[in-house]
Amino acid sequence: MLKRLIYVLPVLVFLALAGVFLTGLDLDPRAVPSGRIDKPVPAFALRPIEGREQGLAAADLADGRPVLVNFFASWCVPCLAEHPLLMKMAREEGVRIVGINYKDRPEDARRWLDRHGDPYTRIGADIDGRTGIEFGISGVPETFVVDGRGRILAQHIGVLTEEALEDRIRPLLKEAAE
């Protein structure tokens, strides 16, 4: 009996692990729960990027109007992929978007925005990445929906898509504006 168990046990372990891995394939990697949801934005004050007069601070996100907070960098290829959507939202939909330039040289950020367009009403330079850590980002791009009181309503990890905007971001912005 013990000899049979020695041969059957590895098969059972393999089947159990296969079941766990197959279940994980159905999970959305962007659906990582955030500990920041429904909490105030962290305290921060960032200097402006080159060519801008105003930086960005936590107080700027609690002025009564909802806002998208977008972490981006000039060296980030996925940031370039989502950039046309941000431009469209700012230009055609009047969405208020602020940027946090993450671990980038401020002069590189300015050149990147000059080349690709600037959807941001304000931009802060998070040169050392401390503000990104406080927000709990895992990389760039990442976008947060913040209500008019400075509370985080949602976090979107990765490139914004039209589907994510329709399903989640726009409804939250609309609700926060009411």
Side-chain angles (χ1 to χ4, degrees):
M1 181 74 159
L2 192 56
K3 282 187 174 186
R4 283 188 197 167
L5 185 60
I6 290 174
Y7 292 112
V8 173
L9 190 60
V11 173
L12 292 176
V13 170
F14 172 77
L15 290 174
L17 286 173
V20 169
F21 291 136
L22 286 174
T23 303
L25 289 176
D26 291 332
L27 299 176
D28 181 359
R30 281 174 266 186
V32 175
S34 173
R36 302 290 314 162
I37 303 302
D38 204 32
K39 293 192 170 110
V41 296
F44 70 94
L46 300 172
R47 69 179 200 208
I49 64 168
E50 181 181 287
R52 288 287 188 107
E53 291 181 20
Q54 297 178 324
L56 182 66
D60 299 321
L61 307 180
D63 66 356
R65 300 176 294 157
V67 62
L68 282 184
V69 178
N70 179 252
F71 282 81
F72 76 100
S74 66
W75 47 262
C76 167
V77 174
C79 296
L80 185 56
E82 78 175 3
H83 198 70
L85 280 178
L86 294 172
M87 291 294 294
K88 178 182 175 192
M89 290 180 73
R91 184 176 45 243
E92 297 175 16
E93 300 173 35
V95 174
R96 185 171 157 242
I97 306 170
V98 297
I100 297 181
N101 185 236
Y102 183 72
K103 291 189 174 182
D104 201 359
R105 294 191 333 217
E107 62 274 13
D108 290 345
R110 182 195 44 80
R111 281 193 296 273
W112 191 82
L113 291 168
D114 287 348
R115 185 177 316 119
H116 302 292
D118 186 353
Y120 306 111
T121 56
R122 297 178 82 120
I123 302 174
D126 186 16
I127 295 171
D128 63 3
R130 177 67 47 206
T131 300
I133 290 169
E134 294 294 325
F135 267 85
I137 71 167
S138 57
V140 288
E142 280 197 32
T143 304
F144 293 82
V145 179
V146 177
D147 72 9
R149 298 175 298 146
R151 297 184 73 77
I152 296 172
L153 300 178
Q155 176 180 5
H156 181 83
I157 298 170
V159 176
L160 283 173
T161 63
E162 193 59 55
E163 179 183 3
L165 293 175
E166 278 305 309
D167 293 347
R168 192 158 177 236
I169 306 295
R170 286 185 183 112
L172 283 171
L173 285 170
K174 183 179 180 183
E175 182 182 316
E178 295 173 352

